[in-house]
Amino acid sequence: MSELIDQAVKELNQKTGGSFDGAAKFVVTGEGTIMLDEAGAREADEEADVTLTADADTFREIFEGGLDPTSAFMSGRLKIDGDMGQAMKLAQTL
């Protein structure tokens, strides 16, 4: 597991309390994939309600709180496929 993925998993579990009502996939280009669902965040690549795709720098900024997920999406730095309602719930959490 890359250092970024490991740190992102820890931060997602802290921010969500270890679970998420739904299934979200974070595809970090060149690093790996993180799943977030009722079992918490972990490195995995499974089916999800929503898939968020971005490069490592973009996700790092989002997870550290320096970049709003909505702004990242609107500027084209973050791609979202699937259930936009789930994406909005994630944006509030992050």
Side-chain angles (χ1 to χ4, degrees):
M1 186 180 312
S2 79
E3 185 177 320
L4 173 67
I5 297 292
D6 186 42
Q7 184 63 32
V9 166
K10 288 177 189 174
E11 289 182 26
L12 281 169
N13 280 320
Q14 288 174 346
K15 290 181 180 188
T16 62
S19 69
F20 180 71
D21 184 26
K25 182 185 334 187
F26 298 83
V27 178
V28 185
T29 308
E31 296 284 334
T33 305
I34 301 167
M35 289 299 302
L36 175 63
D37 57 22
E38 68 278 345
R42 65 199 175 280
E43 184 173 23
D45 187 359
E46 302 166 6
E47 290 295 315
D49 301 323
V50 62
T51 301
L52 294 86
T53 305
D55 62 29
D57 290 335
T58 300
F59 275 122
R60 186 176 290 111
E61 288 181 55
I62 291 171
F63 293 142
E64 291 175 354
L67 178 63
D68 177 65
T70 304
S71 297
F73 174 71
M74 297 302 281
S75 67
R77 293 180 64 187
L78 176 67
K79 181 180 174 190
I80 300 174
D81 292 312
D83 187 337
M84 289 303 285
Q86 291 285 22
M88 298 294 283
K89 282 178 21 181
L90 277 173
Q92 293 172 351
T93 302
L94 298 174

